[in-house]
Amino acid sequence: MPRVIILTSLAMIACGTGSPSHLTESHRGAMVDSVEQMLDQYRASLNTEGFAAALAYYVDSPDFHIAENGRIAYAAYDSVAAALTALHNAKFATNLELHETRILPLAPGLAGVTASYQQTIRDSTGQEFLLDGVFTMTVVHMSEGWKFLAGHTSQPRQ
């Protein structure tokens, strides 16, 4: 999705001309349902097929980026693709659970997602690592369905 469309949509929301309240209730409900379905499919694919399967849920766009704990961790699609491929090739397995999911329809084809998560990652020796925290993501509707465009994950401070 071109940057100008996203920025225009966000500007309209900020000015009140395209606020979420201008979506009909049925449109908002349909958006929430379809984003929830995508999240369920994402989680199931990741848990059963591994990290490489997650790539289908990210937008290959110059606007793509993900921050983690206050820093840009993946400045481009290629960087997250390389990380997920490396985890997959190293035979890391994962189990992701999402809780307290909130979906905010912003404009047609644009929504915000917030959820808490627990993720267990297991290496080839069976050693497990537990991650938990919260993520926020901007999702956009593409011809293939909803995809992650930008976001942030954080874990509690120790």
Side-chain angles (χ1 to χ4, degrees), residues 10-143:
L10 293 176
M12 289 171 53
I13 291 167
C15 294
T17 59
S19 69
S21 63
H22 286 92
L23 295 169
T24 65
E25 275 307 307
S26 63
H27 193 172
R28 288 175 58 82
M31 288 176 68
V32 168
D33 288 346
S34 63
V35 172
E36 283 176 343
Q37 288 175 15
M38 179 275 289
L39 292 170
D40 288 343
Q41 292 166 355
Y42 170 75
R43 188 186 54 71
S45 294
L46 183 65
N47 292 348
T48 60
E49 299 172 41
F51 285 98
L55 283 177
Y57 295 89
Y58 295 94
V59 177
D60 185 356
S61 163
D63 297 320
F64 178 88
H65 63 280
I66 295 178
E68 289 181 352
N69 292 322
R71 65 177 180 82
I72 301 296
Y74 304 102
Y77 173 85
D78 290 344
S79 60
V80 78
L84 292 171
T85 300
L87 288 167
H88 184 80
N89 291 342
K91 307 289 189 232
F92 280 85
T94 188
N95 185 58
L96 175 66
E97 295 178 23
L98 301 177
H99 307 281
E100 303 173 79
T101 302
R102 293 181 173 197
I103 299 165
L104 176 62
L106 298 170
L110 181 67
V113 177
T114 302
S116 60
Y117 67 91
Q118 289 183 321
Q119 185 173 22
T120 303
I121 299 174
R122 189 172 40 266
D123 68 16
S124 59
T125 69
Q127 185 173 358
E128 291 185 347
F129 309 89
L130 177 64
L131 300 172
D132 68 331
V134 173
F135 73 82
T136 57
M137 291 283 178
T138 301
V139 295
V140 292
H141 194 267
M142 312 291 287
S143 59

